[in-house]
Amino acid sequence: MAYRYFTTPKRKFIIADTPGHEQYTRNMATGASTASLAVVLIDAKNGVSTQSRRHAFITTLLGITHLVVAVNKMDLVDWSQEVFESIREEFTAFAAKLEARDVTFIPVSALTGDNVVQRSENMPWYQGSTLLNHLETVHVAGDRNLIDLRFPVQYVSRPNSEFRGYMGTVASGSIRPGDEVMVVPAGTRSKVKQVLGVDGEIDEAFPPLAATVVLADEIDVSRGDMLVHVRNVPHIDNTFEAMIVWMSEEPIKLNKNYLIKHCTRTLGGMVTDLHYQVDINTLHRLDASELKLNEIGRIVVTTNKPIAFDPYEKNRSTGAFIIIDRITHNTVGAGMILDREPGELLRTSGRWQAQPQSENVHRHRSRVTIEERRDRLGHRSATVWLTGLTGSGKTSIAYELERRLFDRGCMTSVIDGENARMTLSKDLDFSAADRTENIRRVAEVAAVLNDAGQITICSLLSPYEADRQHARATIGGDRFIEVYLSTPVQICRQRRPEIYDKAEKGEIPRFSGVTAPYEAPRSPELTLATQDLSITECAERILAYLQEKGCLDSNG
Amino acid sequence: MPSYSITHLRQLEAESIHIIREVVAEFENPVMMYSIGKDSSVMLRLAIKAFAPGALPFPLLHVDTSFKFPQMYEFRDRLEEDMGVRLIVHRNEEAFDEIGRDPSNWTCTLCSNLLKTQGLLQALRKYEFDAAFGGARRDEEKSRAKERIYSFRDQHMQWDPKGQRPELWNLYNSRHNRGESFRVFPLSNWTELDVWHYLYVEKIELVPLYFAEERPVIERDGILLWAGELVKPHKGEKVETRMVRFRTLGCQFCTGAVESTATTLEEVIEETMLARQSERQSRAVDRESGDGSMEDKKREGYF
């Protein structure tokens, strides 16, 4: 692939010249990664070819929003409007599948120069711009994301004890003195004291400028961290889904230790799943067990530590990554992170879907029926699932409810989140994947206790909707009662200031509601605004609900 | 509503600074090649900006042939004092011991192979630099159009045009084993005109040879050489005084002058905008072995 340069009075252009053959897929991806616009050349005589489709697919995959289809060699088809229109129609149908936002068709003849720089006299039916005129005027400045501040720290400058500046290139958004910023993934906060451009102090830095940011507080910030605005935080996770262009002779290997370079951070990681391969000619999804050189697929990546990212579609800088082989040091893959909720992602890749490790295990049935248990205990079994932020009152309400149920003669017990973390799940961390596994284990235990006839009370933060849905499915929709403690985070913070302080300083990583997401339940059985209700009142409401549903009677 | 538009020069500047900072953050022992020319001057200014208010965190390296123009040495020797940078000057003394210091023993090819290429490799090995910034641009010459920004060199410091890594977004891959190294070209996307414009807007001082002046010259093989210290007329050649300037700076016997009346930066820019010839065409070293010569030189480790 060669780069060429030219300038007109209006603009400077850099051309990355990439052939459309399949073996050049990685070159196309490379060229497209830094481009603002793609020109796809179509031979008017041959029509839309496989190569044109491939070009269009790869350029849109790499996030180029402006596509120019130059229908070339119009001189060979007698400047026929009909030929041009039929190519336009065919390509438009194909482009619809690509989410290409801005496609412009221009009939040209490179040989005679028609519609390249000069307007064609041979094609009076064409009223649009010439190719050069279009390139000179197409609006590309608006493609920059000026909303979401993302400032990946590239280098920490400490020339003397007085000065500590964080150097980097503004990836998106803008940063000004006085801005409240958060350091991600840690979650620590500070205020911007000063912004320096390359020629001294400035009022504002925006993409693609290089800047140096001075913060008001002495907090721990290193290369690889990212400064963001406190109210506009990227995803922070160690698991994400991505499209990948494979660039190495050696095929992709699942669960192999690679290096991932994302923004200014390089860390260990692996490809844990390959969903499918995309046939770059037809866009069909193919089942695949591996990806070879120049193949494109959809994968799940798990990094050794959480990273702060955005979907590539929203942010080309923070949504892109490369995969580096640890032995050869080659760049083997180019990835674009997809926009999917972690919960949604885990529905297909988490351990909810795991199969037993042996085919020789079978399910065995109890000879005691649910009805027999109900008759002996005098009530039906159920799981009361309390979800909400830290400080919303889950544990207090759980134990209050347990006491009251027991006093009424019910068989009941509590599975509390913190207790589970110290026992059943003490091997798990707080990544999305391990949070899911924690919920899965608790749900399985709750199901066993329910089968034994008990009313089980689970008090777990359980931040992801998908995980709670899985828990519901595991336990059984008729037994699962989701209770959402909808206390606002500010109130929770007032109740537990010490733990929230720690979380905001980054001392507790991945704290739901601060540095990790909390997804409110979509349709809980019960919502309790605990800022307005006492613990007793909350317990009573749940009791009333159980009563109403007939859980506390032995008949029915 | 503030304006978020910036000129392409500022975009190029930001891109180059990103590259320079990235190298300093990821390599153990970087160095910046300094050739006293205009591209080096731009690169040095970018590097100083990249780390201000701190000092430049790496030294400059001048691989000297001893055959440069006296104005260049004067300019170079003021640099350390004026800019507060550390400058390493390296000469291939072994080659001088073998061939002698008399310029008449040297040809351009010999000078390029031994003093420039071998001299550079010696210096990189001696100081164990793992990354060396160079001021080369992709628009300079055909073989450079395909060059990466991070150009990988194996343990023998050789360049394999087929073995270069794909370079996507601004995610440069700096991983290497001990003994392997990179040449890094922060000005890859600049054109000659961009360099001149930047020199102008940044008011960067240049060696006066870049500006037209009446100079004694000898025309040899279609190239105008400065008839100063080292180039003496052969039989049949005559020394003429012409209004000339140099588009690039190198050794006295391989750097051709062009006829010009451009005595100021503005005038040079105007001439450059009208020029169609690549600036390297006035360099004898690129022409000596015909087409593809630059590619061969690069394989051996030349910039």
Side-chain angles (χ1 to χ4, degrees), chain A residues 360-511:
Chain A
N360 304 315
V361 290
H362 305 283
R363 190 171 274 283
H364 302 280
R365 299 268 163 219
S366 169
R367 276 179 268 163
V368 183
T369 66
I370 287 176
E371 289 73 27
E372 286 174 275
R373 294 184 205 265
R374 186 190 65 202
D375 290 345
R376 175 175 297 175
L377 294 173
H379 60 82
R380 298 200 297 172
S381 61
T383 292
V384 177
W385 191 280
L386 298 162
T387 173
L389 294 170
T390 302
S392 60
K394 297 181 297 292
T395 303
S396 312
I397 295 168
Y399 286 107
E400 177 69 19
L401 180 63
E402 181 193 39
R403 183 77 243 172
R404 283 167 178 256
L405 284 168
F406 185 81
D407 290 347
R408 290 179 65 130
C410 297
M411 273 287 274
T412 181
S413 63
V414 172
I415 307 178
D416 178 68
E418 284 182 56
N419 288 358
R421 284 289 185 175
M422 294 166 75
T423 54
L424 185 65
S425 298
K426 66 180 172 189
D427 56 324
L428 302 178
D429 63 27
F430 290 84
S431 63
D434 275 9
R435 280 182 196 271
T436 296
E437 174 61 9
N438 180 42
I439 304 298
R440 190 188 70 82
R441 291 181 190 178
V442 168
E444 294 286 3
V445 174
V448 171
L449 295 175
N450 277 178
D451 288 346
Q454 286 207 18
I455 297 175
T456 312
I457 305 160
C458 297
S459 50
L460 278 106
L461 208 150
S462 45
Y464 299 124
E465 174 72 9
D467 288 341
R468 294 187 302 262
Q469 295 292 347
H470 278 295
R472 182 186 293 271
T474 301
I475 290 161
D478 52 334
R479 302 197 293 203
F480 189 82
I481 299 157
E482 188 177 25
V483 180
Y484 172 39
L485 308 184
S486 64
T487 329
V489 67
Q490 302 89 302
I491 308 277
C492 294
R493 205 192 179 290
Q494 284 166 20
R495 289 180 184 165
R496 303 281 305 276
E498 65 305 324
I499 195 159
Y500 276 88
D501 275 350
K502 273 190 179 179
E504 281 166 13
K505 281 190 207 136
E507 289 166 21
I508 309 172
R510 315 184 41 67
F511 193 85

Side-chain angles (χ1 to χ4, degrees), chain A residues 3-64:
Chain A
Y3 290 93
R4 288 170 217 290
Y5 301 80
F6 74 96
T7 309
T8 73
K10 289 190 179 135
R11 271 187 177 160
K12 172 179 164 150
F13 297 89
I14 303 177
I15 301 178
D17 185 6
T18 64
H21 305 286
E22 204 151 351
Q23 69 266 33
Y24 296 120
T25 300
R26 70 172 167 184
N27 301 49
M28 280 184 252
T30 304
S33 74
T34 49
S36 340
L37 177 144
V39 180
V40 177
L41 275 175
I42 294 183
D43 185 331
K45 235 180 150 177
N46 299 332
V48 180
S49 68
T50 310
Q51 287 180 27
S52 342
R53 290 171 206 270
R54 212 180 285 136
H55 263 138
F57 169 55
I58 290 164
T59 51
T60 45
L61 178 71
L62 270 288
I64 300 180

Side-chain angles (χ1 to χ4, degrees), chain A residues 3 5 12 30 33 62 144 154 167-169 198-199 204 206 208 211-212 223 259 261 263 312 322 329 331, chain B residues 4 8 13-14 17-18 21-22 25-26 49-50 138 145 165 167-169 171-173 177 188-189 194:
Chain A
Y3 290 93
Y5 301 80
K12 172 179 164 150
T30 304
S33 74
L62 270 288
R144 275 179 305 173
Q154 203 181 2
M167 298 183 150
T169 304
V198 294
D199 295 309
E204 185 175 21
F206 52 88
T212 303
R223 171 174 166 86
L259 289 168
K261 185 167 185 185
C263 293
Y312 186 75
I322 56 170
H329 293 154
T331 303
Chain B
Y4 291 106
H8 83 265
E13 177 186 61
I17 288 175
H18 180 87
R21 286 175 174 172
E22 196 63 13
E26 290 203 322
K49 283 192 180 199
R138 286 179 182 142
R165 299 171 180 175
E167 214 161 56
L168 295 107
W169 300 289
L171 298 174
Y172 304 105
N173 176 356
N177 292 317
S188 286
N189 286 326
D194 295 329

Side-chain angles (χ1 to χ4, degrees), chain A residues 154 261, chain B residues 15-34 39-40 43-44 46-47 58 120 124 129-138 140 144 147-153 159 164-165 167 170-176 180-190 298 301-303:
Chain A
Q154 203 181 2
K261 185 167 185 185
Chain B
E15 179 186 70
S16 302
I17 288 175
H18 180 87
I19 294 163
I20 295 169
R21 286 175 174 172
E22 196 63 13
V23 167
V24 169
E26 290 203 322
F27 288 89
E28 273 173 35
N29 192 17
V31 68
M32 181 167 277
M33 309 297 305
Y34 180 74
D39 303 276
S40 285
M43 189 163 62
L44 176 58
L46 292 166
F58 47 76
L120 169 62
L124 296 179
F129 294 120
D130 54 357
F133 291 106
R137 309 185 315 267
R138 286 179 182 142
E140 272 177 67
R144 283 184 171 159
E147 183 58 280
R148 303 291 193 274
I149 289 172
Y150 273 42
S151 177
F152 178 74
R153 305 298 157 112
W159 181 72
Q164 296 296 312
R165 299 171 180 175
E167 214 161 56
N170 58 3
L171 298 174
Y172 304 105
N173 176 356
S174 63
R175 309 298 291 195
H176 62 281
E180 295 169 344
S181 61
F182 283 85
R183 305 287 164 80
V184 180
F185 305 111
L187 304 184
S188 286
N189 286 326
W190 295 57
K298 282 174 67 177
Y302 183 70
F303 252 83

Side-chain angles (χ1 to χ4, degrees), chain A residues 237-257:
Chain A
D237 217 316
N238 66 342
T239 305
F240 49 86
E241 253 191 70
M243 296 303 292
I244 189 96
V245 180
W246 198 249
M247 304 189 145
S248 166
E249 309 279 347
E250 194 184 314
I252 200 168
K253 217 168 175 183
L254 293 189
N255 301 319
K256 171 178 168 169
N257 281 308

Side-chain angles (χ1 to χ4, degrees), chain B residues 154-216:
Chain B
D154 66 15
Q155 272 158 329
H156 309 291
M157 298 205 177
Q158 289 189 346
W159 181 72
D160 171 12
K162 299 253 181 289
Q164 296 296 312
R165 299 171 180 175
E167 214 161 56
L168 295 107
W169 300 289
N170 58 3
L171 298 174
Y172 304 105
N173 176 356
S174 63
R175 309 298 291 195
H176 62 281
N177 292 317
R178 193 154 280 282
E180 295 169 344
S181 61
F182 283 85
R183 305 287 164 80
V184 180
F185 305 111
L187 304 184
S188 286
N189 286 326
W190 295 57
T191 60
E192 185 184 7
L193 195 56
D194 295 329
V195 168
W196 283 114
H197 273 147
Y198 195 73
L199 291 164
Y200 176 73
V201 299
E202 291 286 321
K203 302 188 176 64
I204 296 172
E205 199 197 335
L206 284 177
V207 181
L209 294 167
Y210 281 113
F211 304 105
E213 208 177 282
E214 296 217 322
R215 296 187 170 98

Side-chain angles (χ1 to χ4, degrees), chain B residues 235-276:
Chain B
K235 224 177 173 178
E237 287 177 346
K238 59 177 196 295
V239 178
E240 304 165 75
T241 301
R242 292 206 210 165
M243 190 74 173
V244 294
R245 67 178 176 92
F246 295 86
R247 284 175 74 182
T248 67
L249 297 185
C251 293
Q252 291 182 40
F253 42 65
C254 70
T255 309
V258 292
E259 292 199 76
S260 163
T261 54
T263 57
T264 64
L265 259 175
E266 290 95 319
E267 286 166 3
V268 170
I269 292 172
E270 208 183 311
E271 263 190 22
T272 307
M273 286 176 78
L274 298 169
R276 290 205 165 255

